């Protein structure tokens, strides 16, 4: 019997060594030598994957639905806001474009308002990109799509703020307008040789076109926007970029072909005078970086615009406004190493001292980026301010 027994041979699980991992013709089935364990594991993994996919879809749908409902809530919300008493001094904070869409962003802004002493809100009615944040009916504005991206709740929010007695300061970027400069015929600065639209830098370096202060089309466009801003509820107009452009390509820019044309400084002062007339009884403020207000600028203003026809000079003391080192009264302020407080302490007395060369015969509205500078301004006898927080 011992000699008749044969060694036990294990049963083969496949006909060929590679066949157990070789897919069958039926797709996901395992034809030859596939183990039940592996098949069950794959089926279980597939079930988990599809269930997870369904759960993710449901969660995304819920989050999206909640976000839509929150954004469609009435702008009045739950936060109670009431403007501080207005005694002739503007205490303003700027509202972001996100908050102009309503919803949570506007609720957060109202919380900020409630914790401040503000009696005014600054709103970008016209941005440096050329977009309008109010329903302007100007023919050119509609034609070039300047109102296409207007925040859907902006008018409702403006009315809500005014209902709570906040003054509306409409900030309008003037000659810095990428959209209108490129799309309104005859409005933009031109290239010297080709006559094409001029850019302040190369296209590879994101150069931008500018409106031409010498162009009637550009000036009339801005004046119309000023008038419509007042119709939309503006209590003050704040003009930004009332200046000529600068940049590495400025030598190739053409502003006028008339050899007898007025000097650039006179052109800007005439524009501000026309803007003041367009405002009527609504006060007009003109933005100036602090260094340019103190020393003037041949490149931007052809001199100085500090004694223009505007009611206020809005002097920018934020670090973002200082683009190069400058000197004032023997002190050098560097772009990368200066404090706003030290600049305020040096500049405000010069801008309010009648015996100073920098003295303007009008009030100033300092622009700051933090309320911690308010007490410093008040100690210097300045009670106007606009807080414009820099994007982080």
């Amino acid at each position: 019997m011992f000699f008749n027994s044969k060694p036990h041979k294990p049963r083969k699980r496949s006909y060929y060594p590679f066949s157990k991992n070789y897919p069958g013709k039926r797709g996901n089935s395992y034809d030859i030598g596939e183990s039940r364990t592996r098949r069950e594991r794959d089926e279980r993994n597939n079930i988990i994957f599809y269930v997870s996919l369904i759960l993710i879809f449901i969660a995304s749908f819920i989050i999206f639905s909640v976000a839509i409902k929150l954004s469609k809530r009435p702008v009045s919300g739950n936060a109670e806001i009431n403007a501080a008493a207005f005694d002739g001094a503007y205490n303003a904070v700027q509202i972001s474009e996100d908050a102009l869409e309503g919803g949570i962003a506007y609720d957060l802004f109202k919380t900020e308002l409630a914790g401040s002493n503000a009696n005014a809100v600054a709103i970008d009615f016209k941005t440096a990109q050329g977009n309008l944040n109010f329903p302007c009916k100007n023919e050119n504005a509609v034609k070039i799509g300047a109102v296409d991206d207007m925040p859907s709740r902006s008018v409702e929010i403006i009315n809500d703020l005014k209902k709570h007695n906040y003054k509306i300061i409409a900030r309008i970027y003037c000659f810095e307008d990428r959209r209108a400069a490129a799309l309104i015929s005859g409005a933009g600065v031109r290239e010297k040789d080709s006559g094409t639209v001029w850019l302040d830098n190369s296209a590879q370096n994101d150069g931008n076109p500018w409106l031409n202060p010498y162009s009637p089309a550009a000036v009339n466009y801005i004046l119309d926007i000023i008038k419509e801003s007042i119709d939309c509820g503006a209590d003050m107009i704040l003009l930004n970029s009332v200046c000529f452009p600068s940049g590495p390509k400025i030598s190739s820019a053409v502003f006028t072909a008339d050899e007898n044309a007025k000097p650039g400084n006179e052109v800007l002062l005439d524009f501000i005078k026309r803007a003041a007339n367009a405002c009527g009884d609504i006060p007009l403020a003109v933005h100036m970086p602090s260094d340019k207000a103190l020393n003037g600028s041949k490149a931007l203003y052809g001199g100085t615009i500090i004694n223009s026809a505007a009611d206020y000079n809005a002097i920018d003391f934020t670090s973002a406004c200082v683009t190069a080192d400058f000197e004032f009264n023997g002190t050098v302020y560097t772009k990368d190493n200066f404090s706003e407080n030290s600049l305020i302490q040096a500049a405000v007395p010069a801008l309010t001292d009648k015996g100073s060369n920098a003295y303007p015969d009008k009030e100033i509205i300092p622009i700051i980026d933090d309320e911690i500078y308010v007490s410093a301004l008040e100690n210097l006898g300045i009670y106007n301010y606009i807080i414009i927080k820099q994007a982080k």
Side-chain angles (χ1 to χ4, degrees):
M1 179 180 295
F2 175 80
F3 294 99
N4 292 333
S5 63
K6 296 181 180 179
H8 176 72
K9 293 182 180 181
R11 182 180 179 181
K12 293 183 179 180
R13 298 181 62 83
S14 58
Y15 291 108
Y16 302 102
F18 65 91
S19 63
K20 75 172 187 175
N21 292 323
Y22 194 85
K25 292 182 180 180
R26 290 178 292 173
N28 293 331
S29 64
Y30 301 92
D31 289 344
I32 305 174
E34 181 57 275
S35 69
R36 177 180 299 175
T37 302
R38 181 175 178 180
R39 184 167 58 250
E40 290 176 349
R41 183 176 66 246
D42 287 347
E43 290 175 352
R44 183 171 62 252
N45 289 341
N46 287 336
I47 292 172
I48 293 172
F49 172 76
Y50 289 116
V51 170
S52 299
L53 197 63
I54 293 171
L55 291 175
I56 291 172
F57 174 79
I58 293 173
S60 300
F61 177 79
I62 293 173
I63 292 171
F64 181 75
S65 300
V66 170
I68 290 294
K69 289 180 180 180
L70 288 175
S71 68
K72 290 184 177 180
R73 287 186 305 170
V75 297
S76 57
N78 297 321
E80 289 296 331
I81 54 172
N82 285 294
F86 180 76
D87 58 0
Y90 293 87
N91 306 149
V93 294
Q94 185 189 34
I95 187 173
S96 68
E97 288 191 41
D98 287 341
L100 288 177
E101 294 286 359
I104 295 175
Y106 183 56
D107 284 345
L108 292 174
F109 176 73
K110 288 196 295 181
T111 300
E112 179 185 352
L113 271 184
S116 72
N117 194 41
N119 59 23
V121 174
I123 301 175
D124 279 349
F125 272 47
K126 179 174 179 285
T127 70
Q129 291 76 29
N131 298 324
L132 300 177
N133 290 330
F134 73 102
C136 180
K137 298 178 182 178
N138 176 273
E139 182 178 353
N140 278 324
V142 174
K143 184 177 179 180
I144 66 176
V147 294
D148 289 355
D149 297 323
M150 181 190 76
S152 59
R153 314 293 289 276
S154 59
V155 174
E156 190 178 352
I157 286 171
I158 290 170
N159 292 335
D160 185 56
L161 292 169
K162 290 181 72 70
K163 182 180 72 175
H164 291 91
N165 299 317
Y166 287 94
K167 301 288 184 181
I168 301 299
I169 299 178
R171 184 163 70 159
I172 295 172
Y173 282 81
C174 295
F175 299 107
E176 186 179 6
D177 185 326
R178 302 166 194 173
R179 184 187 296 270
L183 298 177
I184 296 179
S185 177
V189 180
R190 315 303 289 184
E191 282 279 353
K192 181 184 297 183
D193 298 324
S194 63
T196 57
V197 174
W198 174 85
L199 303 179
D200 58 10
N201 206 332
S202 65
Q204 292 79 4
N205 291 324
D206 298 324
N208 295 307
W210 278 65
L211 289 173
N212 185 355
Y214 279 91
S215 165
V219 170
N220 290 333
Y221 177 64
I222 300 169
L223 293 176
D224 280 352
I225 289 172
I226 290 173
K227 294 174 183 176
E228 290 204 38
S229 298
I230 294 171
D231 293 339
C232 191
D235 299 294
M236 171 187 278
I237 300 295
L238 170 60
L239 300 183
N240 270 52
S241 64
V242 183
C243 61
F244 286 87
S246 60
K249 292 185 61 183
I250 191 61
S251 61
S252 65
V254 174
F255 298 99
T256 178
D258 184 0
E259 296 180 355
N260 299 317
K262 294 178 181 179
N265 181 253
E266 191 174 340
V267 169
L268 293 179
L269 291 173
D270 282 350
F271 166 75
I272 296 173
K273 185 176 182 179
R274 293 184 63 183
N277 291 334
C279 287
D281 295 331
I282 299 297
L284 175 70
V286 175
H287 171 277
M288 277 172 272
S290 53
D291 59 326
K292 306 301 189 295
L294 293 168
N295 297 327
S297 173
K298 184 177 180 181
L300 297 183
Y301 309 131
T304 181
I305 58 172
I306 202 164
N307 277 315
S308 71
D311 300 288
Y312 296 89
N313 286 327
I315 310 300
D316 195 334
F317 288 101
T318 65
S319 57
C321 82
V322 178
T323 56
D325 300 352
F326 72 97
E327 181 181 354
F328 179 70
N329 279 353
T331 301
V332 176
Y333 298 88
T334 64
K335 177 181 181 297
D336 299 319
N337 186 22
F338 88 100
S339 71
E340 293 179 36
N341 187 61
S342 63
L343 186 55
I344 287 171
Q345 297 297 332
V348 168
L351 293 168
T352 55
D353 180 7
K354 295 183 179 180
S356 168
N357 292 331
Y359 172 72
D361 58 354
K362 57 178 63 63
E363 291 188 64
I364 67 171
I365 299 182
I367 295 176
I368 54 179
D369 58 15
D370 198 300
E371 61 185 355
I372 62 174
Y373 303 114
V374 171
S375 60
L377 291 171
E378 291 178 346
N379 289 337
L380 293 168
I382 303 299
Y383 300 96
N384 294 302
Y385 60 82
I386 301 174
I387 299 175
I388 297 180
K389 296 185 177 180
Q390 306 303 318
K392 296 180 180 180

